[in-house]
Amino acid sequence: MIDILGTKARKPPKQRPIKGRKSLEPSRAIVEPPETHLFDVPCPNFDDFLEIQQFVHRFSAHFDYISDALPALTSYTFSNRTCVTVAHSLLTFLLDDSTTGNPPRIKRDVMWPFIAPYVKPSPTDAILDVDWDEVLRALASSKSHRTVDLMPPQVQIVILRCLVTAVLESKYFQRILEAEMEEHAQAVKEAREEEREYRKCEREARRVFREREAELVVVDVENVGGGRKAGLKKDGKAPSAVQKLREEFKAESAARQEEFGKRQRKLWKKVAKTQPRSTTLGLDHKGNTYWGFDSDPDSVLGFGRRWWLPDEGKRDEAPCWFYFSRSDVGRFIGFLECVLGDLRDCDEKEVAKTLVGNLATLAKGGEEWEDRK
């Protein structure tokens, strides 16, 4: 470098890092959170509604006529007819489980007195501002299935939640759950064995490719002489034989990966289908809960404060229901992993890791998973 006087200019001294000072550059790529939208819920106790929805969706094959209520539940709507259908089906199951011989077949008009003993509101139901003693008296003295028509949706949902709890605690349903868990474990095993076999085949294919590539490079060196970099022509391009081998390996590897992706999506869909879960996906480190199931293939729901919003957007926001697109699950996982990498609280990390694992399982069952890997 020459300065304006024609003398040789000195190079500027190199900037050396100060000992003990950490770099200000981020240690990992920053992933932005997905776009979220507020969700208009049909009732105050929407989390109870979701548990009922997913219970019916997951286990409808074990109950009489309960699948008739599934379209309404999966579209996030609730009606008196839906309540009566689900309640009658769950009561029939409970009576089958609690009696020997031929269980009584209770008609819908007289079912509510039989349901009343199962209705045990929890302390958290106090926020609904309902006189539960009056509700229980109405159920115990009911002579028509229309008794619940005058009750608000949140009360009907509590009644169904109590019935679902009773079913989950029944001995017969416990046996069903055990069988479901065995099927789920087998599905997970199949998916992981398939992945291990794919990795093994890829390693073997790459080993064979490297050996064949080395043989061709040696031949090229012998043909063109060893004065240049092995395997290269005078113009620096790879010889045709080596290049052809590399292109074939790349195409075959892409075809194997595509086929593996198809099989994995199929297996992980089976895993999601056999997963005996009707509760949330988990909590993040701020206490937000998340829901995502096969019954709603388009979105993931959440409840809490959207702490990732800019300060002006989150300062006054109360806990709310929100959702983001199912296609953004991979992006949300990446965002959470970035945030967790900066956390020091081990308990918060462990809680959020469970959520990340469930989100990953949910994503693996989706068509978009391969594109996000």
Side-chain angles (χ1 to χ4, degrees):
M1 185 169 62
I2 305 297
D3 65 10
I4 57 175
L5 297 177
T7 57
K8 191 173 181 180
R10 284 192 232 169
K11 292 182 180 179
K14 292 183 179 179
Q15 295 292 330
R16 296 183 179 180
I18 299 175
K19 204 169 185 180
R21 178 179 294 179
K22 293 184 179 179
S23 172
L24 298 179
E25 294 295 322
S27 59
R28 62 185 68 84
I30 297 175
V31 179
E32 294 296 326
E35 184 179 2
T36 56
H37 310 274
L38 294 178
F39 186 79
D40 188 16
V41 298
C43 55
N45 48 349
F46 187 57
D47 52 342
D48 290 339
F49 172 89
L50 286 175
E51 289 196 21
I52 296 164
Q53 177 204 69
Q54 294 308 315
F55 179 87
V56 173
H57 178 260
R58 181 67 188 83
F59 301 108
S60 59
H62 302 287
F63 299 89
D64 295 333
Y65 308 114
I66 202 170
S67 58
D68 295 343
L70 195 53
L73 291 174
T74 53
S75 61
Y76 302 108
T77 58
F78 192 75
S79 65
N80 298 328
R81 182 177 180 180
T82 301
C83 178
V84 170
T85 301
V86 176
H88 185 254
S89 183
L90 295 177
L91 176 65
T92 302
F93 182 94
L94 288 169
L95 293 177
D96 287 347
D97 184 62
S98 61
T99 59
T100 57
N102 295 323
R105 308 302 296 182
I106 304 298
K107 294 183 179 181
R108 296 187 178 190
D109 285 339
V110 294
M111 70 177 182
W112 294 112
F114 291 89
I115 288 175
Y118 294 106
V119 180
K120 301 173 183 178
S122 67
T124 57
D125 296 326
I127 63 172
L128 300 176
D129 194 22
V130 174
D131 186 343
W132 291 108
D133 291 334
E134 183 179 344
V135 170
L136 292 174
R137 283 194 297 270
L139 293 175
S141 60
S142 171
K143 295 182 180 179
S144 170
H145 69 273
R146 296 187 177 278
T147 298
V148 295
D149 289 4
L150 301 177
M151 298 179 183
Q154 55 265 38
V155 173
Q156 298 181 28
I157 287 171
V158 169
I159 294 171
L160 294 184
R161 188 202 67 206
C162 293
L163 287 172
V164 167
T165 301
V167 168
L168 289 170
E169 294 173 351
S170 65
K171 293 181 180 179
Y172 179 56
F173 195 80
Q174 288 298 315
R175 292 194 293 271
I176 292 175
L177 275 181
E178 289 174 5
E180 296 276 354
M181 291 178 70
E182 289 179 5
E183 187 180 357
H184 174 70
Q186 182 61 32
V188 173
K189 183 179 178 182
E190 290 177 10
R192 289 177 177 169
E193 286 179 351
E194 175 76 23
E195 184 174 357
R196 282 194 294 269
E197 186 63 27
Y198 167 74
R199 303 298 178 197
K200 181 180 177 181
C201 291
E202 276 297 298
R203 286 195 298 270
E204 179 62 20
R206 188 169 292 277
R207 183 188 67 78
V208 173
F209 163 72
R210 293 301 184 195
E211 290 180 356
R212 180 60 180 153
E213 183 186 40
E215 292 174 1
L216 291 177
V217 168
V218 170
V219 171
D220 288 331
V221 170
E222 293 175 350
N223 291 337
V224 301
R228 294 184 299 276
K229 187 176 179 182
L232 295 181
K233 291 181 177 178
K234 292 181 180 180
D235 58 3
K237 295 182 179 178
S240 58
V242 176
Q243 184 64 26
K244 183 178 179 181
L245 177 68
R246 291 170 180 170
E247 290 174 355
E248 288 176 353
F249 175 76
K250 186 176 180 181
E252 291 171 0
S253 180
R256 287 193 299 269
Q257 186 176 16
E258 183 180 0
E259 183 61 29
F260 168 71
K262 291 179 180 178
R263 294 197 300 270
Q264 280 287 290
R265 284 194 291 269
K266 185 176 180 181
L267 287 170
W268 281 105
K269 281 181 179 179
K270 183 179 179 181
V271 169
K273 186 177 180 181
T274 58
Q275 193 170 17
R277 177 175 58 84
S278 58
T279 54
T280 69
L281 291 167
L283 300 169
D284 65 20
H285 62 293
K286 296 289 187 178
N288 290 357
T289 52
Y290 297 87
W291 308 72
F293 300 96
D294 288 343
S295 60
D296 184 359
D298 299 324
S299 59
V300 173
L301 296 172
F303 178 76
R305 288 185 172 89
R306 293 177 290 174
W307 44 268
W308 54 83
L309 294 179
D311 288 342
E312 61 271 14
K314 68 182 179 181
R315 186 179 294 119
D316 300 322
E317 183 179 70
C320 61
W321 285 94
F322 57 88
Y323 70 95
F324 57 87
S325 173
R326 180 74 72 93
S327 62
D328 284 333
V329 168
R331 180 177 169 184
F332 190 59
I333 291 174
F335 168 66
L336 283 179
E337 287 177 339
C338 285
V339 174
L340 295 181
D342 295 327
L343 284 181
R344 295 184 178 180
D345 191 311
C346 295
D347 292 336
E348 288 184 351
K349 279 190 176 183
E350 287 304 314
V351 168
K353 281 181 180 178
T354 301
L355 170 64
V356 169
N358 284 332
L359 284 169
T361 301
L362 185 73
K364 284 181 180 180
E367 295 296 333
E368 310 87 357
W369 174 248
E370 283 297 314
D371 296 334
R372 294 194 300 268
K373 284 180 68 174

